[in-house]
Amino acid sequence: CSADIQELEIGMPLKVELKPNERIIVGNAVIRNGDVRTRFFIEGEAPILREKDILTAETATSPARKIYLAVQLMYLQGDLSNHHKIYFPLVQDFLAAAPSALPFDAEVNNCILSGDLYKALKVAKKLIAYEEELIANATGGERIREGGSGHPVP
């Protein structure tokens, strides 16, 4: 009976494949793969971020990226109140400059309030893409549609 309870508590393991030398954060640890592709399974509850989804203070070079970094720190450290002090002023400043981003920020906020910080990160990533689109439009740059149609978006 206790084995059944353990299985229910652990749930489905997460299968992770890492490319050579790729990094991943699991809980408070950074794991770096060796020289060959690796597959492993993570059982249990821990914040997990792949290298491609990790921002640092040095790479958070725009307002939306700084918002993402604040949400990332909430997710990884599980400390919402400490990072709210950083997060909310960033959001207020961003919305003052780009009020059209309100739907993205509202969704991030709702995810945070409901405790789904991983989903909040995914939405914050969309906010970064939106910010890049706004900058491209403001500077007269063109952007290729995500659908791959090849037609530039003015």
Side-chain angles (χ1 to χ4, degrees), residues 14 48-50 52-55 64 67-73 75 87 103-112 116-130 146:
L14 175 66
I48 300 166
L49 270 184
R50 296 181 80 87
K52 67 183 176 89
D53 296 321
I54 299 168
L55 280 185
I67 290 170
Y68 181 97
L69 179 61
V71 175
Q72 175 186 293
L73 292 172
Y75 173 65
Y87 171 77
F104 294 103
D105 283 319
E107 190 175 354
V108 171
N109 289 339
N110 288 336
C111 292
I112 290 170
D116 194 347
L117 295 170
Y118 184 75
K119 187 172 182 186
L121 273 177
K122 289 169 56 175
V123 177
K125 202 167 221 183
K126 292 179 187 176
L127 180 66
I128 292 170
Y130 183 69
E146 288 180 16

Side-chain angles (χ1 to χ4, degrees), residues 6 9 12-14 18 21 48 99 120:
Q6 272 187 328
E9 287 176 2
M12 292 288 292
L14 175 66
L18 294 179
N21 300 307
I48 300 166

Side-chain angles (χ1 to χ4, degrees), residues 40-111:
F40 60 92
F41 297 88
I42 299 173
E43 298 176 353
E45 296 279 327
I48 300 166
L49 270 184
R50 296 181 80 87
E51 184 171 13
K52 67 183 176 89
D53 296 321
I54 299 168
L55 280 185
T56 64
E58 293 78 29
T59 59
T61 56
S62 72
R65 289 175 185 273
K66 289 176 183 177
I67 290 170
Y68 181 97
L69 179 61
V71 175
Q72 175 186 293
L73 292 172
M74 286 183 229
Y75 173 65
L76 291 174
Q77 297 174 356
D79 183 5
L80 301 182
S81 61
N82 214 15
H83 297 292
H84 277 179
K85 298 170 190 169
I86 298 166
Y87 171 77
F88 284 114
L90 290 170
V91 169
Q92 288 171 346
D93 291 346
F94 189 80
L95 288 176
S100 61
L102 180 61
F104 294 103
D105 283 319
E107 190 175 354
V108 171
N109 289 339
N110 288 336
C111 292

Side-chain angles (χ1 to χ4, degrees), residues 4-21:
D4 292 337
I5 291 172
Q6 272 187 328
E7 215 172 282
L8 288 175
E9 287 176 2
I10 292 174
M12 292 288 292
L14 175 66
K15 179 174 85 169
V16 177
E17 289 192 32
L18 294 179
K19 298 173 191 167
N21 300 307

